[in-house]
Amino acid sequence: MDAVSTTVLYNLARIYEDQGDMSMAKEAYDKLLQRHPEYIDAKVRLSHMLLASNRSNDAHTVLKQALDSQVNSMNLRAYYTHFLLQSNLHQHALKFVHSTLQISKSDLYATCAAAWLHYQLARESRPKDEETMRDRRHKFHKAAEFYEKALNIDPGCAVAAQGIAIMVAEDALGMMSLKPGSGLEDEQTRLKNTREALDVFAKVREVMPDANVYTNMGHCYYMRDEYERAIESYETGLSKLSEGPATTILMCLSRAWYSKATRDQSFVSMKTSLQLSQMAQANSPWDKSIRYNIVVIEQRAAEMVFNLGVSKRTMSELREAVALASHAQRLLYDLSQDTSTGGLPYDRDMAAQRHRYLTTLQRKGAEQVSQQEAYEKEHDAQLQAAREHRMAEKLAAEARETARLEVLQREAAVLAEERRKAREEAALWAAQHKESSSDEDKPKRKRKEKAAADDILDDGDQEVIGGQAKIPKEKRERKPRVARRRKGKETPGEEGPSSGDEADKLERPKKRLTKKRVVNDEEEEDGDPRARKKFKSADMIDDSDEELERLDRLEEERKRLVKTVISDDYDDAAPEDVEMS
């Protein structure tokens, strides 16, 4: 029964903690520890609540009591290592991790923690002589060894893979181990190493897409001066952060915006960096390094605006920069006068120097404001004059356009009236022409009817030759041809021509019909007047072509008939008559 009540009470405290009711959760944990002081999980959760409430000393006391009771508990030792790392007690954490590894050499958490601590301590060290330089190189190599050992324990350990990728990106085993920051000065080495590290992070992201992977990728992009991509990676990592304060990622994001603002000389980007730092400060109000970074950002923003020309800034930006410089001066004074023990994350002398510099910068602020006011006043006057000039030009252009449209409308009205009159005249002329044409067509129609009647009569007539009527060749039958005798021979019984009429028929000459010809005016003038023929008047020109065609047809028909008659007479004649002729 006691075991059941203990489990229920612990679960109740966890529910209060998840709901955010810390007072009820603490009360439940205290009641549980009064019953069972050796309950390690309850002490760990209680210390975690105290640490989240910025009561690190109380949390440390609870954890020490738990370690005294169960020194070999690996979960308790892992959380105590985490507590030391969160409290920035790196040296104490390194010693504790080595003692943990002596208890269990295959503990994965302790191995990765030892690698990270060796790397972090080596990275932050500033060697001043050969001995400290050797110690720095030794720590970097130890960090690589521990990461390799962690991968041997668990080949899928993403933390160890990321640690090795970070060391490759920063060239920890190369020039960086010899001189702080030297690995970052070589551009080719930096680009090559960061590219290899990004490949590793991309593989780790496939199996563990958490905030740390995107944050490390943002570090690589930042080292490659690709600030936009670094900002994107940091923001993705911030969105994937499920629990815990986002102070570290916010400061990395602020640093990326700060570098981008410095490169682009953008006051807007600098203000974004300042806002992110202030958010990080709200998460960790006791962190003095964040406060010092805020001072640096405000000082840089004021310098940026003061160094800009009067035409490239506004009065509101200048006043905001002056306010930032004043705030930074007050913060620097507090930081320079800080005498707290335990070390400061900044140089106190540097803070005092920056305070004096901002004092000088503030004195220039008043002069900058007066210059900006004079410029903006003059600029506003010029803009007003330009607006008035443009307005006058616009009104003049509108007046000219109105006048032009009026002229076009008048011209269009005149043109429309002329077209109306022209249409009326055309209609009147067409009516008159139609009447005159109808009067002129009457005699022409009479002549055409008469010519058509003559054609009918001529086609129906028979041609008379030799007193006998001859029918056309097409209508009469051909007589059978008589075989001719050869020249110089006579056929018995053949007779010569019986009468002279038949010979006359053969010898009668052809009669050629004359055809009327129309003579032009030029021929009439140039030719012989006696040789002139009668020509038709202008009234008969329309009918002349038809009359000529009719005459041509009659002439051709006459010639055909004459030839037919002559041929028939010659065939009907006796052979001797033909020979005599």
Side-chain angles (χ1 to χ4, degrees), residues 191-234:
L191 295 177
K192 176 178 175 296
N193 293 342
T194 52
R195 184 70 268 167
E196 294 177 357
L198 284 171
D199 293 340
V200 176
F201 289 134
K203 294 179 181 179
V204 174
R205 182 180 57 185
E206 295 177 359
V207 297
M208 191 180 68
D210 62 355
N212 292 328
V213 179
Y214 287 98
T215 303
N216 290 326
M217 294 181 71
H219 294 338
C220 291
Y221 287 126
Y222 180 83
M223 294 172 64
R224 295 171 65 88
D225 296 337
E226 299 178 9
Y227 303 128
E228 289 80 5
R229 301 190 69 177
I231 291 170
E232 182 180 356
S233 296
Y234 288 140

Side-chain angles (χ1 to χ4, degrees), residues 310 315 369-385 387:
V310 291
M315 178 58 71
V369 170
S370 61
Q371 291 178 0
Q372 190 70 25
E373 287 178 350
Y375 168 77
E376 291 194 356
K377 184 177 180 180
E378 181 181 358
H379 184 65
D380 292 342
Q382 292 176 356
L383 287 178
Q384 184 63 27
R387 291 192 191 96

Side-chain angles (χ1 to χ4, degrees), residues 66 99 182:
S99 64
S182 59

Side-chain angles (χ1 to χ4, degrees), residues 105-108 111 146 148-157:
K105 294 182 179 180
S106 61
D107 185 70
L108 186 60
T111 304
F146 277 113
E148 185 178 2
K149 182 180 178 181
L151 288 175
N152 291 330
I153 297 172
D154 182 10
C157 181

Side-chain angles (χ1 to χ4, degrees), residues 333-543:
Y333 179 78
D334 296 337
L335 293 173
S336 62
Q337 300 297 322
D338 190 356
T339 58
S340 60
T341 59
L344 296 173
Y346 58 89
D347 189 355
R348 190 183 303 173
D349 295 335
M350 181 60 69
Q353 184 178 354
R354 286 181 178 274
H355 178 264
R356 290 192 295 270
Y357 174 75
L358 283 173
T359 303
T360 305
L361 195 65
Q362 266 196 314
R363 286 197 294 266
K364 294 181 180 179
E367 182 181 356
Q368 295 279 342
V369 170
S370 61
Q371 291 178 0
Q372 190 70 25
E373 287 178 350
Y375 168 77
E376 291 194 356
K377 184 177 180 180
E378 181 181 358
H379 184 65
D380 292 342
Q382 292 176 356
L383 287 178
Q384 184 63 27
R387 291 192 191 96
E388 294 176 356
H389 180 67
R390 283 197 299 269
M391 184 59 68
E393 289 182 350
K394 183 178 179 181
L395 293 175
E398 291 177 354
R400 290 193 297 270
E401 182 66 16
T402 303
R404 187 181 69 84
L405 292 176
E406 292 177 355
V407 172
L408 291 177
Q409 290 177 357
R410 289 195 297 270
E411 292 177 355
V414 172
L415 183 60
E417 182 65 22
E418 292 178 356
R419 289 178 178 175
R420 186 186 63 78
K421 292 181 180 179
R423 285 194 296 269
E424 291 178 356
E425 293 177 358
L428 181 61
W429 180 83
Q432 295 176 356
H433 181 70
K434 185 175 181 181
E435 293 177 359
S436 62
S437 298
S438 60
D439 295 340
E440 292 176 356
D441 288 344
K442 291 179 181 180
K444 291 182 181 180
R445 284 197 297 271
K446 291 180 180 181
R447 286 193 295 271
K448 289 182 179 180
E449 293 175 357
K450 183 179 180 181
D454 293 340
D455 290 341
I456 295 173
L457 292 176
D458 290 341
D459 293 338
D461 292 343
Q462 297 178 347
E463 187 177 357
V464 179
I465 299 177
Q468 295 181 357
K470 298 291 181 177
I471 61 178
K473 185 177 182 179
E474 291 81 358
K475 297 181 180 181
R476 69 182 181 86
E477 297 180 355
R478 290 181 60 87
K479 294 181 179 181
R481 296 178 62 87
V482 181
R484 299 180 183 179
R485 66 179 181 179
R486 295 184 180 178
K487 187 176 181 181
K489 296 183 180 181
E490 294 182 358
T491 304
E494 291 180 353
E495 297 181 355
S498 60
S499 64
D501 295 335
E502 294 177 358
D504 292 339
K505 292 178 183 178
L506 296 174
E507 296 178 357
R508 185 175 297 170
K510 299 178 181 179
K511 184 177 180 180
R512 181 180 180 84
L513 296 179
T514 60
K515 183 168 60 175
K516 294 181 180 181
R517 184 171 63 91
V518 180
V519 181
N520 296 330
D521 294 340
E522 295 178 357
E523 295 178 355
E524 185 177 356
E525 293 176 0
D526 297 339
D528 188 359
R530 292 175 298 179
R532 295 175 186 169
K533 302 292 181 180
K534 293 184 73 176
F535 60 91
K536 297 181 180 181
S537 64
D539 296 337
M540 301 296 293
I541 288 175
D542 294 336
D543 296 335

